[in-house]
Amino acid sequence: MPFPLVECIPNFSEARRPQVVEAIIAAISSAGVTVLDYHSDRDHNRTVITYVGTPEAAEEAAFQGIRKAAELINLNVHTGTHPRIGATDVVPFVPLSGVSMEECVTIARHLGERVGRELNIPVYLYEQAATQPDRVNLENIRHGQYEGLKAEIGTHPERKPDFGPSQMGPAGATVIGARQPLIAFNVYLDTDDVSIAKAIAKVVRQSSGGLPSVKALGMLVEGRAQVSMNLTNFRQTSIQTAVEAVRKETSKHGTGIHHSELVGLVPQEAMTETAALYLQLDGFKSDQILENRLFSLPKPDTKNENFLEALSAATPTPGGGSAAAHAGAMGLPLLRWWPG
């Protein structure tokens, strides 16, 4: 049976104070999960952390991260180009192995209730964990950002949170959910005209009639216009397809692509598919990749495992003498570190 493993990718509204980011990472790590990656963008003023762990550890790590962020981040003085409603803006859980999407939904809802009750932070459920159809999409919940939600949460019934109070403190609100793997991908243009990036984002995103499973925004980052994209299903729209769509639109505006970047981690399948599409490989199969073929081979028994199996068998040999000799042989390499 596969070892149960959950991925969590919480987004925090801070990137300009490294000590705050480090404190949040430490809080997450304290729950016994493995932090795989983090990406901070000063213009966005946002940090994306990726970690994995058992379902129980992944949930506890998210709670500790949310609590630490609430202590250190004040949305009343926060500025940045990326939309946000909370110190911990969004917390998605992704099933990796031995865990179903339904279990991740349960984790999200249980965490949401706890955050609302113990931390007094409004919580909205989204994607697969959403309890209302209009809250499946994150954009709907984040409409108006922190300032807009703060003004409406107590007076507009449709903005009542799933858990927690109908009022917001300096930590804002948090969106928690469960979803499939997502690729966060940014394309920088050869211009500082952000209106071009916004126009291109409108063309390529699904909500405006563009590519399926693509969310996109135009913004100014590091002095360049940026098309910031989330590919919510790379099997529907690949990275290469999204990039070529942006490239096509840039030519209409008399500019081009300067470079692109990944935010966080990406499934190997997505990169393999992108390479195959770009190279126009006919009939390409994933097992043509050397590493994939090697990893699919059955794990060979080591000599030590063979010896231990033979030692436990009901045969005269190997016996005690062989076991003693084997133990002595294993100790010989340690002599090189003996002080004398």
Side-chain angles (χ1 to χ4, degrees), residues 4-316:
L5 199 62
V6 172
E7 178 186 27
C8 187
I9 314 96
N11 289 219
F12 299 94
S13 299
E14 180 57 66
R16 299 170 184 170
R17 295 180 294 164
Q19 70 276 16
V20 172
V21 175
E22 291 169 5
I24 293 171
I25 292 174
I28 289 172
S29 300
S30 70
V33 298
T34 300
V35 175
L36 299 177
D37 180 76
Y38 77 94
H39 181 279
S40 294
D41 189 294
R42 291 181 59 85
D43 290 300
H44 287 195
N45 203 6
R46 189 177 184 85
T47 294
V48 179
I49 299 173
T50 303
Y51 67 84
V52 294
T54 63
E56 296 80 9
E59 180 181 336
E60 180 62 26
F63 181 83
Q64 296 302 329
I66 294 169
R67 178 162 64 181
K68 182 58 65 175
E71 294 174 2
L72 302 176
I73 300 173
N74 184 345
L75 265 291
N76 290 316
V77 296
H78 178 273
T79 60
T81 59
H82 200 289
R84 81 286 184 263
I85 61 170
T88 304
D89 192 55
V90 59
V91 182
F93 291 95
V94 178
L96 292 185
S97 69
V99 179
S100 67
M101 179 60 74
E102 289 72 22
E103 289 173 291
C104 282
V105 168
T106 299
I107 293 171
R109 292 177 177 175
H110 185 266
L111 174 64
E113 188 278 331
R114 184 184 177 192
V115 169
R117 173 170 44 84
E118 295 187 25
L119 303 182
N120 211 36
I121 293 174
V123 174
Y124 296 85
L125 299 172
Y126 87 121
E127 287 285 352
Q128 299 291 320
T131 57
Q132 301 179 36
D134 61 343
R135 293 184 179 176
V136 172
N137 291 324
L138 178 60
E139 294 85 350
N140 294 339
I141 301 173
R142 210 155 53 190
H143 175 70
Q145 297 200 53
Y146 168 74
E147 293 78 10
L149 181 58
K150 185 177 181 180
E152 297 177 355
I153 190 171
T155 57
H156 291 56
E158 69 275 10
R159 308 217 75 176
K160 179 179 172 62
D162 290 285
F163 301 108
S166 292
Q167 60 182 12
M168 288 167 57
T174 295
V175 186
I176 302 175
R179 60 164 172 75
Q180 297 294 343
L182 174 150
I183 298 173
F185 188 76
N186 300 326
V187 178
Y188 291 79
L189 309 182
D190 272 325
T191 178
D192 61 0
D193 187 346
V194 71
S195 66
I196 295 178
K198 290 181 177 180
I200 293 174
K202 184 176 181 180
V203 170
V204 301
R205 63 180 174 238
Q206 181 177 356
S207 63
S208 301
L211 299 170
S213 301
V214 173
K215 300 179 180 181
L217 292 171
M219 54 188 70
L220 187 67
V221 178
E222 297 176 356
R224 292 188 181 278
Q226 180 198 84
V227 180
S228 177
M229 292 183 286
N230 282 344
L231 311 183
T232 60
N233 187 338
F234 66 86
R235 296 183 181 91
Q236 285 191 321
T237 297
S238 68
I239 295 175
Q240 191 242 13
T241 300
V243 170
E244 290 308 313
V246 171
R247 193 187 310 279
K248 178 182 177 181
E249 293 303 313
T250 60
S251 64
K252 298 178 182 178
H253 293 274
T255 186
I257 292 176
H258 184 271
H259 71 279
S260 61
E261 69 176 353
L262 283 168
V263 178
L265 305 183
V266 60
Q268 178 177 298
E269 180 187 344
M271 297 303 289
T272 301
E273 180 185 63
T274 295
L277 287 170
Y278 179 78
L279 296 173
Q280 296 180 285
L281 293 177
D282 185 34
F284 174 78
K285 297 180 181 179
S286 62
D287 64 2
Q288 288 181 262
I289 297 176
L290 173 61
E291 288 81 2
N292 286 352
R293 185 68 66 88
L294 289 175
F295 293 152
S296 69
L297 295 176
K299 181 181 178 182
D301 286 335
T302 65
K303 291 182 179 180
N304 188 56
E305 288 173 338
N306 287 336
F307 176 78
L308 293 176
E309 184 177 346
L311 189 65
S312 65
T315 55

